[in-house]
Amino acid sequence: QPRHSLLLWQERQALRTCGLIVTNSVMVKKQVQKYYKIHQDKVITVYNGVDLERFTPCSKEMRHRIRS
């Protein structure tokens, strides 16, 4: 498929020429390094989500009182 080949080529070019690649998991980071031959220093991982221990606006008891 010519279109598919072109898209894969564009993806390779973009990943090889960018300054930094951000992934959302170590698995994806390893795949990028393996399939695109990109050095590990160019790939960082930023996990999704929020640390609920650190960013909790109020206690469970307070939320329960507010909801009632």
CSV table of all heavy atoms in Angstrom, one decimal, residues 26-56:
chain,number,residue,atom,x,y,z
A,26,VAL,N,6.6,3.1,30.1
A,26,VAL,CA,7.9,2.5,29.8
A,26,VAL,C,7.8,1.6,28.6
A,26,VAL,O,8.7,1.5,27.8
A,26,VAL,CB,8.5,1.8,31.0
A,26,VAL,CG1,9.7,1.1,30.7
A,26,VAL,CG2,8.7,2.8,32.2
A,27,MET,N,6.7,0.8,28.5
A,27,MET,CA,6.5,-0.1,27.4
A,27,MET,C,6.6,0.7,26.0
A,27,MET,O,7.2,0.2,25.1
A,27,MET,CB,5.1,-0.8,27.5
A,27,MET,CG,4.9,-1.8,26.4
A,27,MET,SD,3.2,-2.4,26.3
A,27,MET,CE,2.3,-1.0,25.7
A,28,VAL,N,5.9,1.8,26.0
A,28,VAL,CA,5.9,2.6,24.7
A,28,VAL,C,7.3,3.1,24.5
A,28,VAL,O,7.7,3.2,23.3
A,28,VAL,CB,4.8,3.7,24.8
A,28,VAL,CG1,4.9,4.6,23.5
A,28,VAL,CG2,3.4,3.1,24.9
A,29,LYS,N,7.9,3.6,25.5
A,29,LYS,CA,9.3,4.1,25.4
A,29,LYS,C,10.2,3.0,24.8
A,29,LYS,O,11.0,3.3,23.8
A,29,LYS,CB,9.8,4.5,26.7
A,29,LYS,CG,11.3,5.0,26.7
A,29,LYS,CD,11.7,5.4,28.1
A,29,LYS,CE,13.2,5.9,28.0
A,29,LYS,NZ,13.6,6.5,29.3
A,30,LYS,N,10.1,1.8,25.3
A,30,LYS,CA,10.9,0.7,24.8
A,30,LYS,C,10.6,0.4,23.3
A,30,LYS,O,11.5,0.1,22.5
A,30,LYS,CB,10.8,-0.6,25.6
A,30,LYS,CG,11.4,-0.4,27.0
A,30,LYS,CD,11.2,-1.7,27.8
A,30,LYS,CE,11.9,-1.5,29.2
A,30,LYS,NZ,11.7,-2.7,30.0
A,31,GLN,N,9.3,0.4,23.0
A,31,GLN,CA,8.9,0.2,21.6
A,31,GLN,C,9.5,1.3,20.6
A,31,GLN,O,10.0,0.9,19.6
A,31,GLN,CB,7.4,0.1,21.5
A,31,GLN,CG,6.8,-1.1,22.1
A,31,GLN,CD,5.3,-1.1,22.0
A,31,GLN,OE1,4.6,0.0,21.9
A,31,GLN,NE2,4.6,-2.2,22.1
A,32,VAL,N,9.4,2.5,21.1
A,32,VAL,CA,10.0,3.6,20.2
A,32,VAL,C,11.4,3.4,20.0
A,32,VAL,O,12.0,3.5,18.9
A,32,VAL,CB,9.7,5.0,20.9
A,32,VAL,CG1,10.5,6.1,20.2
A,32,VAL,CG2,8.2,5.3,20.8
A,33,GLN,N,12.2,3.0,21.1
A,33,GLN,CA,13.6,2.8,21.0
A,33,GLN,C,13.9,1.6,20.1
A,33,GLN,O,14.8,1.7,19.3
A,33,GLN,CB,14.2,2.6,22.4
A,33,GLN,CG,14.2,3.8,23.2
A,33,GLN,CD,14.5,3.5,24.7
A,33,GLN,OE1,14.1,2.4,25.2
A,33,GLN,NE2,15.3,4.3,25.3
A,34,LYS,N,13.1,0.6,20.2
A,34,LYS,CA,13.4,-0.7,19.4
A,34,LYS,C,13.1,-0.5,18.0
A,34,LYS,O,13.9,-0.8,17.1
A,34,LYS,CB,12.5,-1.8,20.0
A,34,LYS,CG,12.7,-3.1,19.3
A,34,LYS,CD,11.8,-4.2,19.9
A,34,LYS,CE,11.9,-5.5,19.1
A,34,LYS,NZ,11.1,-6.5,19.6
A,35,TYR,N,11.9,0.0,17.6
A,35,TYR,CA,11.4,0.0,16.3
A,35,TYR,C,12.0,1.2,15.5
A,35,TYR,O,12.1,1.2,14.2
A,35,TYR,CB,9.9,0.0,16.2
A,35,TYR,CG,9.3,-1.3,16.7
A,35,TYR,CD1,8.6,-1.3,17.8
A,35,TYR,CD2,9.6,-2.5,16.0
A,35,TYR,CE1,8.1,-2.5,18.3
A,35,TYR,CE2,9.1,-3.7,16.5
A,35,TYR,CZ,8.3,-3.7,17.6
A,35,TYR,OH,7.8,-4.9,18.1
A,36,TYR,N,12.4,2.3,16.1
A,36,TYR,CA,12.8,3.5,15.4
A,36,TYR,C,14.3,3.8,15.7
A,36,TYR,O,14.8,4.8,15.2
A,36,TYR,CB,12.0,4.7,15.8
A,36,TYR,CG,10.6,4.5,15.3
A,36,TYR,CD1,9.5,4.2,16.2
A,36,TYR,CD2,10.2,4.7,14.0
A,36,TYR,CE1,8.2,4.0,15.8
A,36,TYR,CE2,8.9,4.5,13.5
A,36,TYR,CZ,8.0,4.2,14.4
A,36,TYR,OH,6.7,4.0,14.0
A,37,LYS,N,15.0,2.9,16.5
A,37,LYS,CA,16.4,3.0,16.7
A,37,LYS,C,16.7,4.4,17.3
A,37,LYS,O,17.6,5.1,16.8
A,37,LYS,CB,17.2,2.7,15.5
A,37,LYS,CG,16.9,1.5,14.7
A,37,LYS,CD,17.3,0.3,15.5
A,37,LYS,CE,17.2,-1.0,14.7
A,37,LYS,NZ,16.0,-1.8,15.0
A,38,ILE,N,16.0,4.8,18.3
A,38,ILE,CA,16.2,6.1,18.9
A,38,ILE,C,16.9,6.0,20.2
A,38,ILE,O,16.5,5.1,21.0
A,38,ILE,CB,14.9,6.9,19.0
A,38,ILE,CG1,14.3,7.2,17.6
A,38,ILE,CG2,15.0,8.2,19.8
A,38,ILE,CD1,13.0,7.8,17.6
A,39,HIS,N,17.9,6.8,20.5
A,39,HIS,CA,18.6,6.7,21.8
A,39,HIS,C,17.7,7.0,23.0
A,39,HIS,O,16.9,7.8,22.9
A,39,HIS,CB,19.8,7.6,21.7
A,39,HIS,CG,20.8,7.3,22.8
A,39,HIS,ND1,20.8,7.9,24.0
A,39,HIS,CD2,21.9,6.5,22.8
A,39,HIS,CE1,21.7,7.5,24.8
A,39,HIS,NE2,22.4,6.6,24.1
A,40,GLN,N,18.0,6.3,24.1
A,40,GLN,CA,17.1,6.4,25.2
A,40,GLN,C,17.1,7.8,25.8
A,40,GLN,O,16.2,8.2,26.5
A,40,GLN,CB,17.5,5.4,26.3
A,40,GLN,CG,18.9,5.6,26.9
A,40,GLN,CD,19.2,4.6,27.9
A,40,GLN,OE1,18.4,3.6,28.2
A,40,GLN,NE2,20.4,4.7,28.5
A,41,ASP,N,18.1,8.6,25.6
A,41,ASP,CA,18.2,10.0,26.1
A,41,ASP,C,17.2,10.9,25.4
A,41,ASP,O,16.9,12.0,26.0
A,41,ASP,CB,19.6,10.5,26.0
A,41,ASP,CG,20.6,9.8,26.9
A,41,ASP,OD1,20.2,9.1,27.8
A,41,ASP,OD2,21.8,10.0,26.6
A,42,LYS,N,16.7,10.5,24.3
A,42,LYS,CA,15.8,11.3,23.5
A,42,LYS,C,14.3,11.0,23.9
A,42,LYS,O,13.4,11.6,23.4
A,42,LYS,CB,16.0,11.2,22.0
A,42,LYS,CG,17.1,12.0,21.5
A,42,LYS,CD,17.2,11.9,20.0
A,42,LYS,CE,16.1,12.7,19.4
A,42,LYS,NZ,16.1,12.8,17.9
A,43,VAL,N,14.1,10.0,24.7
A,43,VAL,CA,12.7,9.5,25.0
A,43,VAL,C,12.5,9.6,26.5
A,43,VAL,O,13.3,9.0,27.3
A,43,VAL,CB,12.5,8.1,24.5
A,43,VAL,CG1,11.0,7.7,24.8
A,43,VAL,CG2,12.9,7.9,23.1
A,44,ILE,N,11.5,10.4,26.9
A,44,ILE,CA,11.2,10.4,28.4
A,44,ILE,C,9.7,9.9,28.6
A,44,ILE,O,8.9,9.9,27.6
A,44,ILE,CB,11.3,11.9,28.9
A,44,ILE,CG1,10.3,12.8,28.3
A,44,ILE,CG2,12.7,12.4,28.8
A,44,ILE,CD1,10.2,14.2,29.0
A,45,THR,N,9.5,9.5,29.8
A,45,THR,CA,8.1,9.0,30.1
A,45,THR,C,7.5,9.9,31.1
A,45,THR,O,8.0,10.3,32.1
A,45,THR,CB,8.2,7.6,30.7
A,45,THR,OG1,8.9,6.7,29.8
A,45,THR,CG2,6.9,7.0,31.1
A,46,VAL,N,6.2,10.3,30.8
A,46,VAL,CA,5.4,11.1,31.7
A,46,VAL,C,4.1,10.4,31.9
A,46,VAL,O,3.4,10.1,30.9
A,46,VAL,CB,5.1,12.5,31.1
A,46,VAL,CG1,4.1,13.3,32.0
A,46,VAL,CG2,6.4,13.3,30.8
A,47,TYR,N,3.9,9.9,33.1
A,47,TYR,CA,2.7,9.1,33.4
A,47,TYR,C,1.5,9.9,33.5
A,47,TYR,O,1.5,11.1,33.9
A,47,TYR,CB,3.0,8.3,34.7
A,47,TYR,CG,4.1,7.4,34.6
A,47,TYR,CD1,5.3,7.8,35.2
A,47,TYR,CD2,4.1,6.2,33.9
A,47,TYR,CE1,6.4,7.0,35.2
A,47,TYR,CE2,5.2,5.4,33.9
A,47,TYR,CZ,6.4,5.8,34.5
A,47,TYR,OH,7.4,4.9,34.4
A,48,ASN,N,0.4,9.3,33.1
A,48,ASN,CA,-1.0,9.9,33.2
A,48,ASN,C,-1.4,9.9,34.7
A,48,ASN,O,-1.0,9.1,35.5
A,48,ASN,CB,-2.0,9.2,32.4
A,48,ASN,CG,-1.7,9.2,30.9
A,48,ASN,OD1,-1.2,10.2,30.4
A,48,ASN,ND2,-2.1,8.1,30.2
A,49,GLY,N,-2.3,10.8,35.0
A,49,GLY,CA,-2.9,10.8,36.3
A,49,GLY,C,-2.4,11.9,37.3
A,49,GLY,O,-1.5,12.7,36.9
A,50,VAL,N,-3.0,11.8,38.4
A,50,VAL,CA,-2.7,12.8,39.5
A,50,VAL,C,-2.4,12.0,40.8
A,50,VAL,O,-3.0,11.0,41.1
A,50,VAL,CB,-3.9,13.7,39.7
A,50,VAL,CG1,-3.7,14.6,40.9
A,50,VAL,CG2,-4.2,14.5,38.5
A,51,ASP,N,-1.4,12.5,41.5
A,51,ASP,CA,-1.1,11.9,42.8
A,51,ASP,C,-2.2,12.3,43.8
A,51,ASP,O,-2.2,13.4,44.3
A,51,ASP,CB,0.3,12.3,43.3
A,51,ASP,CG,0.7,11.7,44.6
A,51,ASP,OD1,-0.1,11.0,45.2
A,51,ASP,OD2,1.8,12.0,45.0
A,52,LEU,N,-3.1,11.4,44.1
A,52,LEU,CA,-4.2,11.7,45.0
A,52,LEU,C,-3.8,12.0,46.4
A,52,LEU,O,-4.5,12.6,47.2
A,52,LEU,CB,-5.3,10.7,44.9
A,52,LEU,CG,-5.9,10.5,43.5
A,52,LEU,CD1,-6.9,9.4,43.5
A,52,LEU,CD2,-6.6,11.8,43.1
A,53,GLU,N,-2.7,11.4,46.8
A,53,GLU,CA,-2.2,11.7,48.2
A,53,GLU,C,-1.7,13.1,48.3
A,53,GLU,O,-1.9,13.7,49.4
A,53,GLU,CB,-1.0,10.7,48.5
A,53,GLU,CG,-1.4,9.3,48.6
A,53,GLU,CD,-2.4,9.0,49.8
A,53,GLU,OE1,-2.2,9.6,50.8
A,53,GLU,OE2,-3.4,8.2,49.5
A,54,ARG,N,-1.2,13.7,47.3
A,54,ARG,CA,-0.7,15.0,47.3
A,54,ARG,C,-1.7,16.1,47.0
A,54,ARG,O,-1.7,17.1,47.5
A,54,ARG,CB,0.5,15.1,46.3
A,54,ARG,CG,1.2,16.4,46.4
A,54,ARG,CD,2.5,16.4,45.6
A,54,ARG,NE,3.1,17.7,45.6
A,54,ARG,CZ,4.0,18.1,44.8
A,54,ARG,NH1,4.5,17.3,43.9
A,54,ARG,NH2,4.5,19.3,44.8
A,55,PHE,N,-2.6,15.7,46.0
A,55,PHE,CA,-3.6,16.7,45.5
A,55,PHE,C,-5.0,16.3,45.9
A,55,PHE,O,-5.8,15.9,45.0
A,55,PHE,CB,-3.4,16.8,44.0
A,55,PHE,CG,-2.1,17.3,43.6
A,55,PHE,CD1,-1.1,16.4,43.0
A,55,PHE,CD2,-1.7,18.7,43.7
A,55,PHE,CE1,0.1,16.9,42.6
A,55,PHE,CE2,-0.5,19.1,43.3
A,55,PHE,CZ,0.4,18.2,42.8
A,56,THR,N,-5.3,16.3,47.2
A,56,THR,CA,-6.6,16.0,47.6
A,56,THR,C,-7.2,17.2,48.2
A,56,THR,O,-6.7,17.8,49.2
A,56,THR,CB,-6.6,14.9,48.7
A,56,THR,OG1,-5.9,13.7,48.2
A,56,THR,CG2,-7.9,14.5,49.2
